[in-house]
Amino acid sequence: GYTDMSSSMPPEKVMSMLDRLFTQFDSQCTKLKLFKVETIGDAYMCVGGLPDKQADHTLRVALFAMETVRSANSTLVDLDDPEMGCVNIRVGFHSGPVVASVVGELNPRYCLFGDTVNFASRMGTTATCFSHIV
């Protein structure tokens, strides 16, 4: 997983991989008109239907999830060592109510709170590859 990989690679290579990966994710967010909330370490969070309502937000997020898996599977972990293979990711998403607000004054952040966010996070961190939870 990410923890083992990042502990065995120089930080510059980990940052390069994350930058290449998240740049692709950012492009998909823009294309699908989703809102990127934040990245924390290797986690990338985006949302559909905020800050502006979208009737098809669930479809947009599902398409984003599928495309990010494809993007990751074609992104080399280390450009200088192709034998390390490509990135594998887990994706979790959930639909439901959230509370959204800008939090803090120093480097303020747009944050999402609520069980919907917690549930999606748990799905992403506990799922096994190619599993589907309905």
Side-chain angles (χ1 to χ4, degrees):
Y2 174 77
T3 303
D4 292 336
M5 180 190 62
S6 63
S7 66
S8 67
M9 292 173 60
E12 297 81 11
K13 296 220 179 234
V14 175
M15 290 303 298
S16 170
M17 179 203 60
L18 289 174
D19 181 57
R20 289 181 283 112
L21 188 62
F22 289 171
T23 296
Q24 291 180 72
F25 293 0
D26 289 347
S27 175
Q28 285 303 311
C29 263
T30 300
K31 177 182 169 188
L32 293 166
K33 296 186 173 130
L34 298 174
F35 185 81
K36 178 181 178 181
V37 178
E38 64 185 339
T39 58
I40 300 175
D42 66 328
Y44 187 103
M45 182 191 291
C46 72
V47 63
L50 288 176
D52 301 314
K53 289 185 178 186
Q54 297 165 314
D56 62 346
H57 66 276
T58 305
L59 174 62
R60 291 171 190 251
V61 173
L63 292 171
F64 176 81
M66 291 186 296
E67 186 55 38
T68 57
V69 170
R70 279 193 283 276
S71 294
N73 290 336
S74 65
T75 300
L76 289 171
V77 170
D78 185 346
L79 293 174
D80 298 323
D81 187 3
E83 290 186 18
M84 287 188 75
C86 292
V87 177
N88 289 302
I89 63 170
R90 294 180 294 202
V91 174
F93 78 88
H94 188 53
S95 182
V98 296
V99 174
S101 179
V102 175
V103 176
E105 292 179 5
L106 181 63
N107 299 324
R109 293 192 173 183
Y110 184 76
C111 297
L112 302 180
F113 301 94
D115 288 339
T116 300
V117 177
N118 298 334
F119 189 83
S121 176
R122 283 192 300 275
M123 287 178 64
T125 57
T126 60
T128 57
C129 284
F130 307 112
S131 67
H132 303 275
I133 303 168
V134 181

